[in-house]
């Protein structure tokens, strides 16, 4: 066995016998053996030689099939990601594996063959053509040899056919892999592959297609027919892969693609002709089989393969259309083939309904008709005579064609069919859920697809479609609707009107229609009327949400709330669920008028809550919760009288939801909206506290943490107190906040906001109970791995804390937690961020302003804790006070720094007074200059002398921390208005601080020793400022 390369660490070499034994156990039917071997399999996959051994086991036909399957699956899943690894594979092993890959052409097991296709394609992407130059030639030799046998031999050689199928599937897989390569080398390889294959593969398909075109019903039961069809199908798929890769590149002048354009056009034109031949052939064969009643296995297999082959043409045309829609309509025979497809749609609707089925043996398979409708729809925008910009096309549709298409869609495709009605009756909620998803699934269902085709016709040919729908509307609206046929047809028309609402709003008098027709129809008790009532609710929601009419007509709410609450004859749960969705769509509009809606608010809220309790599926409950949430948001404070009723239903829904996290998240959103709407009137703490605790509990938080935190924050911001008489209060959640603050980096930003909001509500109450653990948590977050943004937020929060509560509540805790020590360490650290250092100075200034004696105590205690002289602490603080001053861009912060240092000056500490002559006096004069300038502006405007330059502007929006429209916004505004930085006159404060310093340091003679060192000009300037000159 080849030895592993010496790359430093030694790689173990696998024992082939052990590998075989372990893989045999892993493929056992005994769960215990599988479990016991799984760990060893993972270990062996890191051994040198394992991949080669696995591949050899898979290629050995004498090995039991389950073991071979297990081996090739393990190889496919693991080896391809390490194909270039010299630790696990040698060059000799790679050569053997590549050679072995081409021994699976006659493999009878599909799983092994499909794994081999993936393996060959992935290896080819890395090794072809440099290390595997003969890959393509070897595959094509197998295809050519066995295709000659298939076409030339009168006998049916199944082994030869199997090898041909495997070879074509392998080639298709390689083409698919190289089609996705974006790098230049891969693109050049793909060009080389197409150069070698395009003509020969086209010839192969031409030979087989002539044989298929001559099929007669009796030949369908022949194995050769089934073989010819599957081989032709694979060959054509290879041609399609090459053509689709070329199509977007044909317009590029570079790359050598132009030489292949004639071949591409030949393939496309022959494909359009072949599709027509094959579809007509298939139709005749299916009709003949229906007449004869033949249904043997081979016949059904042949029809299935023919049906799949016809469908691949539609996929080809659709993908060409998607990649280059403008150029698709210019392809020769491109428009003709789309019209051919549409003609088949017309042909299908003119026949008996049973000819259209979602089955391979149907005369008109649903998937074929869907392809036809989608191709037609996407080409419509290129055929309109009214198109602005883009290349003009000679193809336009006549008025007669458009009107016939609209009639066909409205009468045959858009109406509910028997299967729809059966689904409605058997599982109403699931039916509504599927209807709600139709926007994503319209290409796969006839009815939604028909609706989209109608919408496109209405948009591109509105001069024809709008008058037709208007006339039809006027005709049907006045006709009696009593039986199921007329109900279904009217429902289809209502659907058409809703889908084309934006083009019909000028011609359909919506308000009159509501008053004279829809009101009465919504109250009709006819047994067939749930069909119309559900469509009425949908139509109103569509019409209003598309801004065709404002939501200020009481009849809109009259109809929707009636449909929402009606449980009498002529209605059902589908109607109620649809009305709930329509209600949300109407409420959630720009023109929504709450005053018009208020009389209907109690019914809407009550019924939505009731329906949530009645619904069986989580999807329905979630949709109802979304509707309720929108109603609460738009109702605002007017929801308050109904809050108790809403909140009483939440716990049961929450418990019943179990691990349905999306619904639980929606419930949290509902409660959040309720709290935000009620503001300080909210009395929901008994609901909020357990919801937040549950939402942030272990195992649950990973799914609900964001929504639980949003609820918590909204509750605090809209609360007037943290306590709640007779029940749990928000204060009870503070320990949870402290815990998360300490240990959860992912949620740190939101938790800091919650703590900050709690402090704004009642800082003394928080600190009286939790000062020490809160400070500990702050310090743990600051000294941990928190990002700088979160650290800054914590420092800002601490600044608020020092202003919102007396120093006696936070000073001691601040010291014991080591917060002051941490700040000193930050100041002494050369690599600290200037942003954080500036915030530290703001915090120190706030402490000094709040209680200068507490500041002195903190300095003294910190010096003792850190075993440093106090002078060292003062040096770090005062050095950065001056250095960070230049980083303070906002005048309010610069004045804060001036006030804070003035407070420290007043203590008479020699470390501070030593800085007076230079740093402190310069700092003050800088701020005085701003204040003086501001005073001059203010005096010109007859404003208060304390109105500063920066007072004339709003504080940065970040100050309010997204608290707009909450009670906290007013708290923050009041707090800002009373900030000493705004209320204290700096000159007076500085003058008083100097006087106190003079007394504190021992009198005028000692004080003058500090002052005398000042530059006379600076001193004179300072005196002038303080004297108001």
């Amino acid at each position: 066995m080849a030895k592993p390369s010496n790359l430093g660490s030694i790689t173990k070499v696998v024992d082939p016998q052990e590998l075989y034994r372990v893989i045999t156990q892993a493929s056992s039917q005994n769960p215990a053996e599988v479990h016991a071997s799984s760990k060893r399999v993972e270990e062996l996959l890191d051994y040198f030689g394992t991949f080669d051994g696995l591949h050899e086991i898979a290629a050995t036909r004498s090995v039991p099939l389950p073991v071979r399957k297990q081996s090739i699956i393990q190889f496919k899943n693991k080896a391809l990601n390490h194909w270039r690894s010299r630790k696990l594979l040698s060059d000799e092993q790679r050569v053997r594996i590549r050679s072995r890959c081409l021994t699976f052409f006659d493999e009878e097991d599909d799983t092994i063959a499909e794994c081999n296709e993936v393996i060959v394609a992935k290896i080819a992407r890395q090794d072809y053509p440099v290390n595997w130059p003969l890959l393509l030639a070897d595959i094509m030799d197998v295809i050519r040899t066995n295709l000659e046998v298939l076409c030339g031999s009168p006998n049916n050689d199944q082994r030869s056919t199997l090898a041909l199928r495997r070879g074509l599937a392998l080639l298709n897989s390689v083409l698919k892999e190289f089609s996705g390569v974006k790098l230049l080398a891969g693109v050049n390889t793909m060009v080389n592959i197409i150069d070698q294959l395009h003509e020969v593969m086209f010839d192969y398909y031409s030979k087989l297609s002539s044989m298929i075109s001559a099929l007669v019903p009796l030949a369908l039961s022949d194995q050769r027919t089934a073989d010819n069809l599957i081989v032709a199908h694979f060959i054509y798929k290879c041609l399609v892969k090459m053509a689709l890769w070329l199509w977007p590149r044909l317009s590029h002048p570079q790359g050598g693609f132009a030489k292949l354009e004639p071949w591409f056009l030949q393939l496309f034109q022959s494909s359009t002709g072949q599709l027509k031949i094959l579809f007509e052939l298939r139709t005749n064969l299916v009709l003949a089989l229906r007449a004869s009643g033949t249904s043997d296995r081979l016949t059904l297999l042949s029809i299935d393969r023919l049906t799949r082959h016809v469908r691949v043409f539609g996929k080809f045309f659709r993908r060409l259309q998607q990649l280059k829609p403008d150029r698709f309509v210019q392809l020769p025979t491109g428009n003709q083939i789309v019209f051919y497809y549409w003609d088949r749609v017309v042909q299908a609707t003119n026949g008996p309904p049973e000819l259209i089925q979602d089955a391979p043996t149907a005369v008109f398979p649903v998937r074929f008709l869907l392809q036809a409708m989608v191709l037609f729809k996407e080409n419509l925008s290129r055929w309109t005579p009214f198109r602005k910009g883009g290349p003009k096309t000679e193809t336009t549709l006549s008025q007669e064609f458009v009107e016939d298409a609209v009639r066909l869609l409205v009468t045959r495709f858009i109406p509910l069919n028997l299967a729809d009605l059966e689904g409605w009756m058997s599982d109403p909620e699931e039916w509504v859920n599927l209807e709600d998803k139709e926007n994503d699934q319209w290409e796969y269902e006839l009815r939604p697809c028909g609706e989209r085709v109608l919408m496109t016709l209405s948009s591109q040919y509105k001069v024809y479609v709008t008058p037709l729908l208007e006339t039809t509307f006027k005709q049907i609206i006045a006709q009696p609707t009593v039986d199921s046929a007329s109900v279904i047809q009217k429902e289809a028309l209502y659907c058409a009107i809703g889908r084309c609402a934006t083009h019909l709003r000028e011609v359909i008098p919506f308000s009159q229609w509501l008053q004279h027709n829809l009101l009465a129809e919504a109250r009709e008790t006819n047994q067939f009327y749930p069909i119309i009532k559900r469509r009425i609710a949908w139509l109103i929601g569509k019409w209003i949400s598309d801004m065709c009419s404002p939501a200020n007509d009481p009849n809109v709410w009259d109809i929707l709330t009636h449909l929402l609450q009606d449980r009498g004859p002529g209605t059902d749960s589908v109607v109620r669920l649809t009305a709930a969705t329509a209600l949300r769509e109407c409420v959630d509009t720009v023109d929504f008028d709450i005053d018009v809606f208020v009389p209907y608010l109690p019914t809407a809220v009550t019924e939505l809550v009731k329906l949530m309790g009645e619904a069986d599926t989580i999807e329905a409950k979630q949709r109802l919760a979304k509707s309720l949430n929108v109603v609460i948001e738009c109702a605002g404070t007017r929801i308050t009288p109904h809050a108790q009723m809403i909140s009483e239903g939440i716990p049961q829904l929450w418990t019943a939801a179990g691990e349905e996290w999306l619904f639980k998240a929606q419930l949290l959103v509902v409660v959040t909206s309720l709290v935000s709407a009620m503001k300080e009137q909210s009395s929901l703490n008994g609901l909020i506290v357990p919801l937040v605790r549950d939402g942030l509990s272990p195992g649950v938080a990973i799914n609900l943490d964001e929504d639980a935190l949003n609820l918590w924050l909204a509750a605090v911001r809209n609360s007037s107190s943290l306590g709640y008489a007779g029940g749990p209060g928000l204060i009870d959640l503070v320990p949870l906040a402290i815990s998360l603050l300490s240990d959860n980096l992912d949620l740190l930003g939101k938790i800091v906001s919650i703590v900050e909001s709690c402090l704004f509500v009642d800082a003394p109450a928080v600190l009286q109970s939790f000062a020490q653990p809160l400070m500990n948590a702050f310090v743990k977050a600051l000294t941990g791995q928190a990002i700088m943004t979160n650290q800054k937020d914590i420092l800002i929060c601490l600044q608020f804390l020092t202003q919102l509560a007396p120093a006696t509540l936070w000073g001691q805790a601040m010291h014991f937690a080591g917060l002051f020590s941490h700040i000193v360490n930050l100041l002494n650290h050369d690599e600290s961020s200037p942003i954080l250092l500036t915030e530290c100075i703001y915090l120190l200034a706030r402490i000094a302003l709040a209680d200068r004696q507490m500041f002195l105590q903190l300095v003294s205690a910190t010096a003792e804790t850190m075993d440093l002289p106090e002078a060292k602490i003062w040096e770090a603080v005062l050095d950065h006070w001056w250095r960070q001053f230049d980083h303070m861009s906002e005048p309010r912060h610069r004045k804060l720094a001036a006030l804070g240092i003035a407070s420290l000056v007043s203590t008479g500490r020699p470390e501070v007074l030593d800085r007076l002559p230079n740093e402190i006096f310069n700092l003050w004069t800088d701020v005085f200059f701003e204040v003086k300038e501001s005073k001059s502006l203010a005096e010109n405007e007859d404003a208060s002398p304390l109105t500063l330059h920066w007072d004339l502007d709003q504080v940065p929006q970040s100050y309010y921390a997204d608290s707009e429209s909450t009670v906290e916004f007013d708290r923050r505004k009041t707090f800002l208005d009373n900030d000493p930085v705004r209320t204290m006159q700096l000159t007076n404060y500085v003058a008083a601080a100097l006087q106190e310093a003079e007394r504190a340091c021992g009198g005028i003679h000692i004080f003058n020793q500090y002052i005398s060192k000042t530059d006379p000009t600076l001193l004179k300037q300072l005196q002038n400022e303080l004297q108001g000159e």
Side-chain angles (χ1 to χ4, degrees), residues 669-858:
V669 170
V670 168
V671 180
T672 303
S673 298
L674 194 58
V675 169
S676 302
M678 296 172 68
K679 301 193 184 305
E680 69 271 19
Q681 299 177 52
S682 171
S683 57
L684 302 177
N685 288 350
L687 174 64
I688 294 166
V689 172
L691 283 180
V692 170
R693 280 181 174 152
D694 196 10
L696 293 172
S697 61
V700 177
I702 192 172
N703 300 290
L704 299 178
D705 54 5
E706 185 176 348
D707 296 293
L709 290 173
N710 288 338
L711 170 59
W712 191 354
L713 184 60
V716 176
R717 285 186 163 175
N718 289 287
S719 180
S720 56
S721 75
L722 296 177
Y724 177 61
L730 295 173
I731 192 79
D732 298 329
L733 291 174
V734 173
L736 176 59
I738 292 171
S739 171
L740 294 171
L741 194 61
S742 299
D743 304 323
N744 198 317
L745 286 174
D746 295 333
L747 306 179
L748 189 56
K750 185 61 72 74
I751 289 295
V752 173
S753 297
I754 290 170
V755 171
E756 188 174 291
S757 295
C758 287
L759 294 173
F760 269 105
V761 178
D762 195 347
V766 173
L767 293 175
Q768 281 167 5
S769 302
F770 308 106
Q772 195 59 61
L774 180 60
M775 286 296 176
N776 292 341
F778 276 140
V779 173
K780 187 174 181 183
L782 286 170
T783 55
Q785 309 256 321
I787 60 173
M788 190 178 68
T789 302
N790 289 339
Q791 292 188 53
K792 179 184 174 184
D793 290 342
I794 290 171
L795 291 170
I796 291 172
C797 182
L798 285 164
Q799 293 167 37
F800 287 132
L801 181 148
T802 60
Q803 301 170 76
L804 289 163
T808 53
L809 290 178
W810 48 260
Q812 187 179 35
M814 190 176 283
H815 168 63
F816 286 148
L819 178 63
F820 208 87
S821 303
H822 174 66
I823 291 173
V824 172
N825 285 331
L826 275 179
L827 297 178
N828 284 324
H829 201 280
D830 293 337
E831 296 183 4
S832 296
S833 161
I835 294 174
L836 289 184
L837 291 175
T838 306
E839 292 296 337
C840 286
I841 298 303
Y842 297 156
L843 175 57
L844 294 175
R846 287 295 182 187
I847 295 173
L849 263 182
D851 191 324
R852 67 196 70 171
Q853 291 306 315
M854 181 60 73
F855 193 100
L856 297 180
Q857 291 176 38
L858 286 168

Side-chain angles (χ1 to χ4, degrees), residues 67-135:
V67 179
R68 295 180 63 216
K69 283 185 179 181
Q70 181 69 222
S71 297
I72 202 163
I73 290 171
Q74 290 287 352
F75 183 93
K76 175 179 72 72
N77 292 344
K78 302 294 182 180
L80 299 177
N81 293 328
H82 303 281
W83 180 248
R84 296 277 175 87
S85 170
R86 286 184 289 167
K87 286 178 63 178
L88 302 175
L89 282 163
S90 67
D91 289 339
E92 295 86 350
Q93 289 173 345
R94 278 185 276 267
V95 170
R96 286 203 299 269
I97 291 170
R98 287 193 291 261
S99 176
R100 232 182 267 125
C101 283
L102 300 182
T103 64
F104 289 91
F105 286 113
D106 59 347
E107 175 59 55
E108 294 183 358
D109 183 76
D110 289 339
T111 300
I112 293 176
E114 288 164 7
C115 286
N116 187 57
E117 291 164 19
V118 175
I119 291 166
V120 170
K122 296 295 182 184
I123 295 176
R125 182 168 182 156
Q126 300 181 63
D127 287 5
Y128 180 83
V130 178
N131 295 323
W132 204 354
L134 298 179
L135 169 65

Side-chain angles (χ1 to χ4, degrees), residues 612-625 653 663:
M612 265 200 290
E614 294 173 350
D616 294 323
T617 64
I618 290 296
E619 290 89 343
K621 289 178 183 288
Q622 196 166 340
R623 196 178 303 108
L624 291 162
L653 291 168
F663 179 53

